[in-house]
Amino acid sequence: MKTETLEKLQAAIRDIEDFPKPGIVFKDITPLLLDPEVFKLAIDELIATLEGQKVDKIIGIDARGFIFGAVIAHQMGIGFVPVRKVGKLPHDTESVAYSLEYGEAEIQIHQDAISAGERVMIVDDLLATGGTAAAAIELVKRLGGELVAASFLIELDFLNGRELLGADVPVHSLLNY
Amino acid sequence: MKTETLEKLQAAIRDIEDFPKPGIVFKDITPLLLDPEVFKLAIDELIATLEGQKVDKIIGIDARGFIFGAVIAHQMGIGFVPVRKVGKLPHDTESVAYSLEYGEAEIQIHQDAISAGERVMIVDDLLATGGTAAAAIELVKRLGGELVAASFLIELDFLNGRELLGADVPVHSLLNY
C-alpha cells in the first residue's frame, strides 16, 4: 500500500475512549464511511489483498462486515454471503458457537451459500480476539469452501486474534494497532 | 422497471414459511445476494428511484440495509451513514425509540453524520410495519437533513408501513407483496 493511502485510511479512523466500556479504546470507522474517496481506497486495498487470485464468493460478517463485504462482492461481480448471529438466517443453516469474554456466541451461514470447492474471501472491519472470524472460517470449511483470504480493515495486534485463525488461512489487515 | 428486470428480482426472493414464527412468510433475500447480476440490477433500480435527484448521503439501516446502502453510496461516490440499534454507535448519538409488536426498540445515528440541509436517501431491504423506517426518518429530520427518498427492495403492502412514513417523504419499493 502507498504511504499516502495508508495515511488517508489512518486519518479516517477515530479513537473513542472508554467504549463500549471503561479502559477500551474503540476504533470508530464511521468517518471513513462518510468520506467516499477514503471508503473507495479501503475497498480497493481489501480487494488487493487477494493479489489477483480468483474468488467465487465474498463472506461478510454481521453487521459491519456487510458494509465492506457487499461492496467488494458488487465491485468484483461475485456473490455475497452474509454470516449472521444466530436466529437471523431463515433457511437451513450451519452453526458454530464460540467463546466471548463473558459467555458464548453463535454464528450461522446458509447451507446453500457455498458449494464444495468454491474459493471464498472473508471480510470484516475488525480483527480483535479472532473468535468470530475463526467461527466464520469453520463455517466455510464445513461447507467445503476453500479460504483464499480473511481480510480486515483493522487488526488489533495486541489481542493476537490472528493466531486463532489457523496457519492455513492467509490473513490480511490494512491497519494495525 | 422493465418486466424482465422485475421478474429476475422476484425470482431471486425466496419465501420461507413460518419464519421467524408460525404463520409468517419471510422474504429471504440471500438468493439475490448470491447472484451478482441480479444484485447489480437491484442496486441500479434502487438508485433509479432517485430519478436523477442529487443526494449527499445514503443511510443504511442495521443490518441488511447496510448491504444495499453501502453499495449504493460506493457506486454513487457519496458518504454512507449507518443507523444502528442502540449501543452500537460509539460517538455522540441522536436516538429515537419506537414500538414493536411486543415492547420497544431504539435506533441511533451519529450526530455528526448529517449536516443541516444535506439531501439524504434512506435504504433498507424491507418495508414492513414501518416502525424502523419512520424512526430513521425522524433521526434524519432531527439533524436537519432533507429526505429525498426512502427506498426499499421489498414492501409488504398489507402491513401499511408506508402510511407511517409521512406524506412529505417519497417512498419507493421495487417489489410489492
Side-chain angles (χ1 to χ4, degrees):
Chain A
M1 195 188 327
K2 285 185 199 165
T3 306
E4 188 193 343
T5 301
L6 181 64
E7 288 171 355
K8 282 183 180 173
L9 294 178
Q10 286 170 334
I13 306 295
R14 175 165 62 182
D15 279 358
I16 309 281
E17 310 259 340
D18 299 322
F19 186 90
K21 55 187 182 183
I24 306 285
V25 179
F26 187 87
K27 297 290 177 187
D28 179 14
I29 63 161
T30 62
L32 182 147
L33 302 176
L34 273 182
D35 185 328
E37 183 204 344
V38 184
F39 186 28
K40 186 175 185 320
L41 287 174
I43 294 297
D44 292 345
E45 291 293 338
L46 285 167
I47 291 174
T49 64
L50 288 168
E51 296 173 342
Q53 293 174 94
K54 180 182 168 298
V55 282
D56 302 302
K57 300 272 171 69
I58 303 292
I59 304 229
I61 298 177
D62 195 347
R64 289 190 305 262
F66 291 179
I67 295 172
F68 296 91
V71 174
I72 291 170
H74 183 263
Q75 178 154 318
M76 296 184 73
I78 58 181
F80 174 70
V81 176
V83 160
R84 300 212 64 181
K85 287 153 195 161
V86 67
K88 296 286 187 179
L89 290 171
H91 203 47
D92 298 336
T93 56
E94 198 68 47
S95 300
V96 169
Y98 59 101
S99 300
L100 296 176
E101 193 180 355
Y102 302 101
E104 272 210 337
E106 189 174 343
I107 57 171
Q108 301 185 313
I109 195 169
H110 272 157
Q111 287 173 2
D112 64 359
I114 294 169
S115 306
E118 281 192 316
R119 295 167 58 82
V120 170
M121 179 192 202
I122 290 178
V123 178
D124 206 355
D125 68 322
L126 180 72
L127 177 58
T129 62
T132 313
I137 288 169
E138 172 64 19
L139 288 174
V140 170
K141 287 183 175 174
R142 284 203 200 158
L143 297 179
E146 187 185 331
L147 260 307
V148 177
S151 298
F152 304 88
L153 177 65
I154 297 168
E155 180 175 0
L156 302 181
D157 296 352
F158 59 94
L159 291 174
N160 299 314
R162 186 179 280 253
E163 289 173 17
L164 212 60
L165 306 193
D168 56 332
V169 178
V171 178
H172 309 274
S173 48
L174 304 187
L175 300 173
N176 296 74
Y177 297 96
Chain B
M1 196 186 327
K2 285 184 199 166
T3 306
E4 190 193 343
T5 301
L6 181 63
E7 287 171 356
K8 283 182 179 173
L9 294 178
Q10 285 169 336
I13 307 295
R14 175 165 61 181
D15 280 357
I16 309 281
E17 310 259 339
D18 299 321
F19 185 90
K21 55 187 183 183
I24 305 285
V25 179
F26 187 86
K27 297 291 178 187
D28 179 14
I29 63 161
T30 62
L32 182 149
L33 303 176
L34 273 182
D35 185 327
E37 183 204 342
V38 184
F39 186 27
K40 187 175 184 320
L41 286 174
I43 295 297
D44 292 346
E45 291 293 338
L46 285 168
I47 292 174
T49 64
L50 288 169
E51 296 173 341
Q53 293 174 94
K54 180 181 168 296
V55 282
D56 302 301
K57 301 272 171 67
I58 303 292
I59 304 230
I61 298 177
D62 195 348
R64 290 190 304 262
F66 290 0
I67 296 171
F68 296 91
V71 174
I72 290 170
H74 183 262
Q75 178 155 318
M76 296 183 73
I78 58 180
F80 174 70
V81 176
V83 160
R84 301 213 63 181
K85 287 151 195 161
V86 67
K88 296 286 187 179
L89 289 171
H91 203 47
D92 297 336
T93 55
E94 198 68 44
S95 300
V96 169
Y98 59 101
S99 300
L100 295 176
E101 194 179 356
Y102 302 100
E104 271 210 338
E106 189 174 344
I107 58 171
Q108 300 185 312
I109 195 169
H110 271 158
Q111 287 173 1
D112 63 0
I114 294 169
S115 306
E118 281 192 318
R119 295 168 58 82
V120 171
M121 178 192 201
I122 291 178
V123 178
D124 206 354
D125 67 323
L126 181 71
L127 177 59
T129 60
T132 313
I137 288 168
E138 172 64 18
L139 288 173
V140 171
K141 287 184 175 174
R142 283 202 201 160
L143 298 179
E146 187 186 331
L147 260 307
V148 177
S151 298
F152 305 89
L153 177 65
I154 296 167
E155 179 175 1
L156 302 180
D157 297 352
F158 59 94
L159 291 174
N160 300 314
R162 185 180 282 252
E163 290 173 17
L164 212 61
L165 305 193
D168 55 333
V169 178
V171 178
H172 310 273
S173 48
L174 305 187
L175 300 173
N176 296 74
Y177 297 96

